[in-house]
Amino acid sequence: MAFNKIWYTVALGLLLPFSYAHTDFFTSIGHMTDLINTEKDLVVSLKDYIKAEESKLEQIKKWAEKLDQLTDTATKDPEGFLGHPVNAFKLMKRLNTEWGELESLVLKDMSDGFISNMTIQRQFFPNDEDQTGAAKALLRLQDTYNLDTDTLSRGNLPGVKHKSFLTAEDCFELGKIAYTEADYYHTELWMEQALKQLDEGEVSSADKVYILDYLSYAVYQQGDLGKAMMLTKRLLELDPEHQRANGNMKYFEYIMAKEKEANKSSTDSEDQTEKETEVKKKDYLPERRKYEMLCRGEGLKMTPRRQKRLFCRYYDGNRNPRYILGPVKQEDEWDKPRIVRFLDIISDEEIETVKELAKPRLRRATISNPITGALETAHYRISKSAWLSGYESPVVSRINTRIQDLTGLDVSTAEELQVANYGVGGQYEPHFDFARANEPDAFKELGTGNRIATWLFYMSDVSAGGATVFPEVGASVWPKKGTAVFWYNLFPSGEGDYSTRHAACPVLVGNKWVSNKWLHERGQEFRRPCTLSELE
């Protein structure tokens, strides 16, 4: 018998479009899209491997069936069978040659191509930091948008195109990541969700014993001793010999007994003090809560009287020759600080060009350390950014000229156009664009003074979330592709306008692309002259 040769070829992979080493994938949806192509290529490679294995097994199966039939006949009359000289020859040939070929086929490793592809692609895979970053993003979205674990687990989010859900094992992993960060609040939420899904009959590799172990400890850390004991009892019902659970149970019973004694000596006056403290806490609304409320669209509403002062208009850039015959659409977003939005101010073609130029250069966005002035990454800024100069592309140069014409400010002293793409739950928590009095050297190297104004292009629509909010005044500006917003960071006197403190809300669903131009003081002396008042 002769075996057909199996030719097994696997494409060595369409490598990522941009050959960059691992750089915080979770901070940019734009870069994560390349991972989709990588995974697709691996699936194709895996299917080729499966076909090769199936082809190999099919040949072995045919050989076995043929020999099964032949040996059945031969064993019934061995001497008569071998009396035929052709049968005798073929027996010698099979045992001397063909069985050896079969052995080689069985031993042949068909996985080489797939493994080679995996080895090449693995260098572009996300790492533990990415997985943790993506998990923290889910927790951040849960808090910011008041999502319960069941809603998030079932993927019931507004504006989703491709619905997905979390398995009990996924929920368990989220709980573990929260646990490693000593975030016992989220540990409890996600371990309970994992337990709930298992109790509802979901088939999973997640183990209830492990889940209850994490859950009971997380609950105890938050001070709910009774619930911790109840969960530990449930764990011991599943595994009576669980050493840690047995130890914890004894400890919980001891603490419970001590608390009962302590409660007897408590007074009514202490209860009253606690109530007063609670009222004070409710009255105090920290910036974080304001920020999250604005992100949800629950912020302060402008009074009708103030709303009447907001207008929309055709704007010609104060009689700029380029816009006299073709003025742009402008509308007021807020009065103090004055925030205006320009509509249809950047075309889809320009947006695509800017994104194509920026994408290969996207790097994790940084912040300036207020003490050292050094640039560093921060957990509260989840995005990637790139800088584009006007001389690189006529499109960027045209955009810079447009900003100068419509703001009346000199862009020659401005920073380069910054392009940003936000990652999973991408955000930038409340911050100022300008340097405060305690940061005199923030822009010293530029030699162009402080950031007088901000121009922000929205280069994509966002299905849910992603607003630009101003917690100090209660303003929320929502992304709209092709528009731009503009505001002054400094008063004409050069003093900082602290009401411009703003934030980029986490992206709940969608992909957020923006680009911005920071304009500086130098060159604006006659374009925006200072007044006699510090706050004018």
Side-chain angles (χ1 to χ4, degrees), residues 471-495:
E472 292 296 314
V473 296
S476 296
V477 180
W478 298 91
K480 185 178 180 183
K481 187 178 182 181
T483 70
V485 291
F486 173 78
W487 68 86
Y488 281 102
N489 297 305
L490 307 179
F491 292 111
S493 64
E495 291 295 317

Side-chain angles (χ1 to χ4, degrees), residues 149-412:
T149 49
D150 197 58
T151 297
L152 207 49
S153 177
R154 295 179 189 280
N156 295 326
L157 301 176
V160 292
K161 290 182 181 178
H162 310 283
K163 191 173 177 180
S164 187
F165 63 91
L166 295 169
T167 64
E169 189 177 3
D170 293 332
C171 296
F172 177 56
E173 285 301 319
L174 281 171
K176 279 205 299 184
I177 288 170
Y179 181 85
T180 58
E181 297 291 318
D183 179 359
Y184 301 115
Y185 169 72
H186 286 109
T187 303
E188 178 185 0
L189 291 179
W190 286 102
M191 290 300 175
E192 282 187 335
Q193 183 63 29
L195 199 60
K196 176 187 173 186
Q197 291 179 203
L198 290 178
D199 288 343
E200 289 173 352
E202 182 181 316
V203 178
S204 172
S205 60
D207 190 332
K208 284 186 180 181
V209 170
Y210 284 114
I211 294 170
L212 286 164
D213 195 14
Y214 278 102
L215 182 55
S216 60
Y217 185 76
V219 167
Y220 163 70
Q221 284 292 332
Q222 294 177 87
D224 193 341
L225 195 57
K227 187 176 178 181
M229 287 183 71
M230 179 197 73
L231 292 165
T232 306
K233 285 177 182 177
R234 185 176 173 186
L235 191 162
L236 289 170
E237 287 172 5
L238 296 172
D239 183 4
E241 304 302 318
H242 197 284
Q243 189 174 354
R244 185 165 48 250
N246 278 300
N248 286 348
M249 198 65 191
K250 290 177 183 176
Y251 177 72
F252 292 158
E253 287 170 349
Y254 168 73
I255 295 295
M256 185 75 83
K258 285 190 72 176
E259 282 188 357
K260 282 181 181 177
E261 289 178 17
N263 287 338
K264 290 176 183 177
S265 59
S266 63
T267 62
D268 291 338
S269 61
E270 286 176 348
D271 291 339
Q272 184 62 33
T273 305
E274 283 178 14
K275 284 178 184 176
E276 287 172 5
T277 306
E278 215 172 287
V279 170
K280 285 178 184 176
K281 283 181 182 177
K282 285 178 182 176
D283 289 341
Y284 173 64
L285 193 64
E287 182 183 63
R288 180 78 196 179
R289 274 191 65 193
K290 288 181 187 175
Y291 158 61
E292 291 181 349
M293 286 174 69
L294 288 169
C295 289
R296 294 192 295 269
E298 301 171 359
L300 299 170
K301 302 300 178 186
M302 192 179 280
T303 62
R305 186 176 179 181
R306 285 177 67 188
Q307 284 179 342
K308 287 179 182 178
R309 296 174 188 163
L310 303 181
F311 298 94
C312 57
R313 64 190 69 82
Y314 282 100
Y315 182 69
D316 62 10
N318 291 324
R319 304 292 293 170
N320 186 288
R322 289 190 179 91
Y323 295 100
I324 290 175
L325 295 179
V328 297
K329 289 179 278 187
Q330 185 193 71
E331 62 184 28
D332 297 328
E333 286 281 348
W334 205 259
D335 54 355
K336 291 183 180 180
R338 186 166 186 250
I339 305 168
V340 295
R341 188 195 292 262
F342 294 88
L343 285 77
D344 303 319
I345 201 64
I346 184 170
S347 68
D348 289 350
E349 291 76 17
E350 288 173 325
I351 287 172
E352 288 309 309
T353 299
V354 169
K355 285 166 66 174
E356 284 171 17
L357 288 169
K359 194 171 180 182
R361 294 187 239 169
L362 287 174
R363 296 293 180 269
R364 177 80 181 267
T366 56
I367 54 99
S368 177
N369 187 302
I371 299 171
T372 65
L375 295 176
E376 58 190 26
T377 60
H379 71 277
Y380 54 81
R381 189 178 189 186
I382 307 297
S383 65
K384 283 186 177 179
S385 59
W387 300 85
L388 304 180
S389 299
Y391 65 80
E392 295 181 62
S393 164
V395 170
V396 178
S397 178
R398 188 164 66 241
I399 287 170
N400 288 341
T401 302
R402 190 177 304 153
I403 294 171
Q404 177 166 298
D405 290 343
L406 293 173
T407 62
L409 299 175
D410 185 355
V411 297
S412 66

Side-chain angles (χ1 to χ4, degrees), residues 287-288 290-292 294-295 380 422 426-433 456 458 466-472 475-477 487 499-506 512:
E287 182 183 63
R288 180 78 196 179
K290 288 181 187 175
Y291 158 61
E292 291 181 349
L294 288 169
C295 289
Y380 54 81
Y422 288 80
Q427 62 162 4
Y428 190 0
E429 290 184 7
H431 62 281
F432 297 103
D433 280 351
L456 176 65
Y458 291 112
T468 305
V469 299
F470 295 74
E472 292 296 314
S476 296
V477 180
W487 68 86
S499 68
T500 62
R501 185 170 171 82
H502 61 285
C505 294
K512 183 181 177 183

Side-chain angles (χ1 to χ4, degrees), residues 90-102:
K90 291 186 75 172
L91 176 63
M92 296 302 104
K93 179 175 175 286
R94 279 198 305 275
L95 291 172
N96 183 53
T97 306
E98 293 181 6
W99 275 100
E101 290 177 1
L102 178 67

